[in-house]
Structure formats: C-alpha cells, structure tokens
Amino acid sequence: MKGLSICHSSTASSSLPGFIIFFITFCVHKLESARFTVIGPDHPVTAIVGEDIVLPCHLFPRMSAENMEVRWFRSEFTSVVHLYQHGKDEYGQQMPEYHERTELLKAGIMVGNVALGIVNVRPSDEGQYHCFVQDGIFNEEAVLELKVEASGSAPQISVEGYQDGGIRIVCQLAGWYPEPEVLWRDRRGQLLSPSTETKSQDGRGLFEIKSSIIITENSNQNLACSIRNAYFSLEEEPSTFYISDFFFPRMSPWPVVWSVTLVISLVFVSLTLFLLKLREWRRSLSDVVRANVTLDPDTAHPYLVLSEDRKSVSRGDTRQQLRDTPERFDTERWVLGCEGFTRGRHRWEVEVGGGRFWAVGVARESVGRKGGISCSPEGGIWAVERWLGQFRALTSPETPLPLSRAPSRIRVCLDCGRGQVTFIDAGDEAPIFTFPPGSVPGERIRPWLWVGGGSWLRLCP
C-alpha cells in the first residue's frame, strides 16, 4: 500500500505542470473569445413624452450576452437605469425615477442585442445613456443621446386690453418640451420683440410660455405669431391676423376689445385644427412594432384545425380528440395568439378566406375558456365580425358597419398605452372601426380569432 501511495504521488507531480499550462491556455482563449465591441446609434434617439422608446445597443461580433453583465447608466457608473447580472434583472441599485419603467429586451440577447426599453418617457429622461457590457474582466461600452419632445396645446391668443396707446395681444401655450421659441413677425416677415414674456415649467417638466406684444394704430397692425422647435429649428405655420384702424377709435375701448377677440378667436380655431393634425402626424411617425403572430394550439377549440406553421385556422367537420386543459376553449370556436402584449404599439394582419362567418380581434389573457362567453368588451373581447352578409363591431350592443365590400385582409392595430384597438381594411387603407381610448384594460392582451363553418383565417407574415 505504501508503494502504491508513492507511485500515485509521483504521477500527480508529473502531471501538475501540464495541468497549469492547459489552464492558462484555456483562460487566454476564453479572454480572447470574449472580446467584443459595444455599438449604439451614431445619432440621437428622439422620444415623445408619455410614449415608450427603445434605446438600441448590441455587441459586435454577434455573440450571446446571456451570461454577461449589462449595465445601463447615466452620468455615473452607480447611476443605474437598468442592471442585468447573473442571468437576471437586478433592481437593488436602480434609480427610483426608473422604477417599473425599464426592461432589457431579452428576445435578442442570444445574438448580442441588449437594447433597453423605457416606458412613459419623461422630460427628465433626456440626456446621455451608457450601455456597458462586461464579460469576466473584459468590458466595453457605448454612449448614446436621448432627446425628448412634447407638442403641447395650441397657442391661445387673447386681447388683454389697452396699454401704452395700443392694444395688448397675448400668445400663450403650455405642455411643450423642449422650451419652444415664440416668434412675432410683421407683414414683411421681420421679427418683432415682445414687450413681455414669462416662462415656467409644470410638475412634469413641460414648458408654459406667455408672450405679449403691443399693437399701435400706426405700426405693426399686420402680425403673425408662430412657434419654433428648439431642436430642429423648425417653425410651425404662423397664425396671421390684421388689426385695422377701425379698432383704434377715440371712444370707449370695450367694443374694440370685443371685435379683436372675435377675430383672434377665429384664428385660434384654425391654429388649433392645424396643431391637432400636426400632433396626429407626429404620432403616426412613432415606431409601431409589426408583430409576428402565431396561433396557440393549447387554446384552440377541438373543432378548429391549425396549420403546421400555426399561421392558419379553419373549421373542421369533426371534433378532434384533444386534451381538455384549463387553457382550451371548450364551447366557443375560438383560438388565441401565442403572443401577448402589455405595452407599446403593435400591428398584424389577418387574411380572410371563404365563408360568411368569422371574427378578428383581441382578447384579454384572462378571458373565460369554459362555457358560453359574451363576445363583447364586457366578456374581454374587442373585435369585428362578419355574420352572413353583415359586418358589425362586437360592442355592447353590436354596432353595424356600413362596409361596401367584404375586406380580404384586415389590419389590427393595438395601442396598449392608450388602451385602444383599431381595425383597418389593409387593401385600401380604409378604417373599419376603432374602440375608443381606454376601452382595452391594462392587462396582457392577445390576438383572437373566431372561425365559423366554411371559413378560414390566416395570419400574414
């Protein structure tokens, strides 16, 4: 036994240098393989107050970041916006102002995508962000800029009476970010200096501005008031009005004030309509995620037949022998999409084929699965349907839809932030129906389909 012990010790001693060399080689190889570059956008990312934004960031070359540390921070390393560590999100060091407002988008983390989502953007979110990634002792980071903007209320133009031998005209606006510039111009387009201007910020950090100018009888009677965007130096279409000599009589000023107020009220209405259209246009430019939706076979009624790629569904002639699970609809011929949405704006399209009985829409994830269920918002369904030759929105009571022809492809647009769902004929872009803002609750929402006899529906790629 003693000889055996000596022999074992000698073998271990001789193999020790080889083990050390192998260990060092392995570590060096590991360090070299872990080298990467962190890449962010080379231009500022712009977000709108109250909406959601994604800050892009990824590794090059593409590699998995699942077991790396991903730290998003502001000016200092400890000013943590979001921290992903040891394969999970860590919130102990997160700054309070970002609590429950950030999400590391892990759908692409296996290929090095470490983008950060921020919900309900605030003016205080504006500034620089560092995307820091560390693997072992190696780390890299990218710096990107977030700019925030908000289009507030239309300027409210009013007359505040006589002052210094003229009429005092006021331009007032609120809810803007960054601080816009209020410009007064004469008939030749020359800039005029306001007599007074006050600026303040509300509790959300949005700007309120009140600018006034004096109109006299002999000068500056043809005026324009406009707003210039602080970021892009873009000037909104001005509101122009003219004050004639009639408004400067030598009598009581009150008829003059009422007349000027009437003229400016008409200008205010026109400017309000313009800014509303502008706001809708800006909103349409915001990112809407095109969802790649598939059908969930675990929810499909036994009479429904799903394609192998889970993109199409039709009504079968016989009931399939499927396990009755809590997730499966047992009475209604319905099926849900696999994907669920709780935030952001998403859209997908459904192709309609054959038959006169079908419905397309969304449902809350907690919608009932057993027995008869109300096909309405009260039952957790927001949809449009074709029943025989009629089209209707599944409101309560149902709303007839005067469509001239049957749509062959329906676009579903879900806005989780506004709690709204819209249906559009994807063929000619004609609106079909919109459930008003606030209709859809804040819980997880999934695509929903109903297929009647002889019909089939297909989710478009």
Side-chain angles (χ1 to χ4, degrees):
M1 292 296 291
K2 184 175 181 180
L4 179 62
S5 175
I6 292 172
C7 180
H8 179 269
S9 175
S10 175
T11 302
S13 175
S14 63
S15 63
L16 183 58
F19 173 76
I20 294 175
I21 293 173
F22 169 78
F23 180 75
I24 294 174
T25 303
F26 174 79
C27 291
V28 170
H29 176 73
K30 180 68 175 177
L31 288 174
E32 289 179 350
S33 65
R35 291 191 177 275
F36 51 81
T37 302
V38 180
I39 299 177
D42 57 1
H43 55 81
V45 178
T46 301
I48 298 176
V49 172
E51 297 193 357
D52 303 344
I53 190 65
V54 173
L55 303 183
C57 185
H58 69 271
L59 306 185
F60 180 83
R62 296 285 187 175
M63 63 180 68
S64 174
E66 187 176 23
N67 296 317
M68 300 182 186
E69 175 182 319
V70 180
R71 179 186 296 256
W72 283 86
F73 64 93
R74 296 296 299 267
S75 57
E76 299 180 3
F77 191 77
T78 55
S79 303
V80 176
V81 176
H82 193 95
L83 178 61
Y84 172 84
Q85 203 173 41
H86 309 304
K88 61 180 180 179
D89 298 307
E90 301 284 356
Y91 298 100
Q93 302 178 44
Q94 187 179 45
M95 290 189 290
E97 55 265 38
Y98 290 98
H99 181 58
E100 294 187 349
R101 295 179 53 232
T102 63
E103 178 184 6
L104 189 70
L105 306 183
K106 303 183 184 66
I109 197 170
M110 297 299 293
V111 291
N113 189 354
V114 291
L116 180 71
I118 302 178
V119 303
N120 191 19
V121 171
R122 307 169 181 173
S124 59
D125 295 333
E126 185 173 71
Q128 282 193 344
Y129 286 77
H130 296 251
C131 176
F132 173 90
V133 182
Q134 179 167 338
D135 185 20
I137 63 173
F138 181 80
N139 62 77
E140 281 285 338
E141 71 175 64
V143 181
L144 58 101
E145 180 90 9
L146 175 63
K147 289 188 175 182
V148 177
E149 67 173 10
S151 298
S153 63
Q156 299 179 9
I157 306 176
S158 60
V159 179
E160 290 198 349
Y162 280 80
Q163 180 179 334
D164 301 330
I167 300 175
R168 179 183 174 87
I169 307 296
V170 176
C171 248
Q172 191 169 1
L173 55 138
W176 289 79
Y177 191 90
E179 179 185 324
E181 186 179 3
V182 178
L183 303 177
W184 294 96
R185 298 183 186 274
D186 62 16
R187 72 173 72 187
R188 296 181 299 275
Q190 297 296 314
L191 287 173
L192 302 173
S193 298
S195 57
T196 62
E197 188 167 277
T198 59
K199 305 174 183 178
S200 61
Q201 287 179 272
D202 61 19
R204 297 190 300 161
L206 303 180
F207 283 93
E208 301 175 355
I209 300 178
K210 182 177 182 181
S211 179
S212 66
I213 197 167
I214 306 296
I215 299 177
T216 63
E217 184 175 2
N218 299 317
S219 64
N220 301 332
Q221 293 177 222
N222 196 332
L223 293 178
C225 177
S226 59
I227 302 168
R228 177 184 290 168
N229 185 296
Y231 276 154
F232 307 107
S233 297
L234 295 178
E235 187 174 339
E236 310 290 359
E237 184 175 336
S239 169
T240 305
F241 55 93
Y242 175 74
I243 305 297
S244 69
D245 293 340
F246 169 78
F247 294 102
F248 297 91
R250 307 303 190 266
M251 61 181 72
S252 171
W254 293 112
V256 178
V257 172
W258 283 110
S259 300
V260 173
T261 301
L262 176 61
V263 173
I264 293 179
S265 296
L266 296 175
V267 174
F268 168 71
V269 171
S270 300
L271 188 58
T272 299
L273 293 175
F274 166 76
L275 288 176
L276 286 174
K277 291 182 179 179
L278 178 65
R279 182 178 298 179
E280 289 300 318
W281 175 77
R282 283 181 172 174
R283 185 174 182 84
S284 69
L285 295 181
S286 301
D287 290 339
V288 179
V289 179
R290 186 182 180 92
N292 183 20
V293 178
T294 56
L295 299 174
D296 184 356
D298 293 335
T299 65
H301 186 276
Y303 267 101
L304 298 184
V305 179
L306 274 58
S307 62
E308 289 186 3
D309 62 357
R310 299 181 183 177
K311 288 287 189 178
S312 301
V313 58
S314 58
R315 177 79 170 269
D317 297 327
T318 59
R319 185 183 182 94
Q320 302 175 81
Q321 297 301 315
L322 301 175
R323 190 162 58 94
D324 186 17
T325 62
E327 295 79 20
R328 189 179 306 282
F329 294 109
D330 67 348
T331 302
E332 306 293 349
R333 273 63 168 175
W334 297 349
V335 61
L336 296 179
C338 291
E339 294 70 19
F341 309 101
T342 58
R343 61 183 59 168
R345 303 170 66 202
H346 309 270
R347 65 182 176 91
W348 61 92
E349 293 183 1
V350 182
E351 184 178 356
V352 179
R356 297 182 295 171
F357 303 91
W358 51 261
V360 173
V362 299
R364 60 189 181 196
E365 189 163 63
S366 61
V367 66
R369 311 296 172 91
K370 309 301 179 184
I373 305 165
S374 173
C375 202
S376 66
E378 287 74 12
I381 305 291
W382 295 263
V384 294
E385 74 166 8
R386 184 183 187 187
W387 181 267
L388 295 175
Q390 299 181 346
F391 298 93
R392 52 195 181 187
L394 298 181
T395 54
S396 183
E398 295 166 344
T399 303
L401 301 176
L403 302 183
S404 59
R405 61 178 180 83
S408 60
R409 190 162 174 159
I410 296 177
R411 182 179 305 144
V412 184
C413 302
L414 174 64
D415 189 333
C416 296
R418 301 185 68 190
Q420 177 177 291
V421 60
T422 298
F423 300 91
I424 298 172
D425 186 336
D428 57 7
E429 301 294 328
I432 296 176
F433 187 78
T434 297
F435 286 85
S439 302
V440 183
E443 64 178 273
R444 188 177 180 87
I445 300 299
R446 297 171 65 176
W448 172 92
L449 301 176
W450 169 67
V451 185
S455 300
W456 58 266
L457 299 174
R458 184 173 70 88
L459 298 166
C460 302

